[in-house]
Amino acid sequence: MLLHVPDILGPDQLQQMRAALDAADWTDGRETVGAQGAQVKRNQQLPDASPLREQLGQQVLAALDRSPLYFAAALPLRTLPPRFNRYTGGGEYGFHVDGSVMALDRPGQARSHVRSDLSCTLFLSEPDEYDGGELIISDTYGEHEVKLPAGDLILYPSSSLHKVVPVTRGARLASFFWVQSMIRDDTRRSLLLEMDTAIQTLTRTGGDPAAVLQLTGVYHNLLRGWAEV
Ligand code: NI
């Protein structure tokens, strides 16, 4: 499932984040990838240990918490700390697949691991601020081109091949992160989102309360049967 979640960040929060990122110290994005990724990755990132990355990452996580659509679609169990990247001057990231299991090191806690079920990109630059920079996601339906307004997020299966095409004018800023979902299987997760969406619509439009209750029960019993927590 490829899902566009609009308005994760409001204009004020976006403006503050942009001001902080414009003044930030960026490093080579190849520091956080394996050998295959390093061959095709040409961008900049905020260092993982940077206090600014930590601070802005917390803001992104808090914004995700306020989005019912994001929660319904991702059914998140564990989320890697959001990172921030910048593509400029021809920067690109060729076709690659994201790592499947990632280490999560938090101060004072034992190392844990996160399985990447979902990849997320939160766009922080407006589409007219740069040329190129489309995120291309390749799946069994073909290639999808994604370039969203600042503040909007795309969520897609981490199993898909994807790339960012060269940015030939301006700068493309984004936050990106991975999610381990309570529902590992993409098809099951999509079904739950569709059912949740239908239940919300029936509730809003005054559907038969007994039927809504029954469907809500089915939703939760499917979730109970499928969830890994
Ligand atoms: Ni990737």
Side-chain angles (χ1 to χ4, degrees):
M1 168 184 39
L2 204 68
L3 185 78
H4 172 186
V5 187
D7 301 322
I8 290 288
L9 296 177
D12 292 347
Q13 201 171 22
L14 197 55
Q15 197 179 10
Q16 286 172 20
M17 210 174 270
R18 282 291 302 269
L21 289 173
D22 286 341
D25 286 326
W26 296 85
T27 55
D28 192 322
R30 281 174 289 203
E31 286 172 13
T32 56
V33 282
Q36 190 269 330
Q39 289 174 24
V40 291
K41 188 175 184 184
R42 284 200 294 133
N43 69 359
Q44 297 171 301
Q45 279 178 207
L46 288 191
D48 277 358
S50 118
L52 180 64
R53 191 214 55 72
E54 173 66 26
Q55 181 199 333
L56 298 183
Q58 292 292 344
Q59 288 180 23
V60 170
L61 293 175
L64 296 174
D65 272 347
R66 293 191 291 268
S67 170
L69 176 58
Y70 172 80
F71 184 85
L75 295 170
L77 178 64
R78 283 196 275 273
T79 305
L80 266 298
R83 289 175 174 159
F84 295 82
N85 61 16
R86 183 171 184 263
Y87 291 81
T88 187
E92 64 178 314
Y93 196 170
F95 267 125
H96 65 281
V97 65
D98 293 338
S100 49
V101 178
M102 306 193 191
L104 177 56
D105 291 307
R106 283 168 298 193
Q109 293 184 37
R111 168 176 275 201
S112 60
H113 290 87
V114 176
R115 184 187 66 230
S116 59
D117 294 322
L118 291 163
S119 301
C120 296
T121 298
L122 173 60
F123 287 76
L124 299 175
S125 299
E126 295 294 352
D128 63 5
E129 292 181 85
Y130 58 99
D131 290 335
E134 291 84 358
L135 171 65
I136 310 287
I137 299 162
S138 176
D139 64 17
T140 50
Y141 292 100
E143 290 191 356
H144 311 273
E145 191 178 291
V146 182
K147 188 170 184 173
L148 299 180
D152 287 16
L153 175 136
I154 188 85
L155 181 144
Y156 58 100
S158 300
S159 52
S160 46
L161 280 178
H162 53 276
K163 70 173 178 179
V164 175
V165 307
V167 171
T168 55
R169 177 187 64 87
R172 174 199 193 267
L173 292 163
S175 176
F176 64 103
F177 53 93
W178 293 276
V179 180
Q180 178 171 338
S181 176
M182 290 186 274
I183 305 297
R184 176 197 292 242
D185 182 72
D186 189 61
T187 307
R188 288 181 173 180
R189 205 184 314 110
S190 301
L191 287 171
L192 288 172
L193 174 62
E194 283 190 50
M195 189 167 213
D196 190 350
T197 307
I199 291 169
Q200 301 301 329
T201 304
L202 286 172
T203 304
R204 207 175 49 244
T205 56
D208 178 348
V212 171
L213 180 60
Q214 193 172 20
L215 281 174
T216 304
V218 172
Y219 174 88
H220 280 286
N221 287 329
L222 286 173
L223 185 58
R224 198 186 326 275
W226 291 343
E228 302 164 57
V229 294

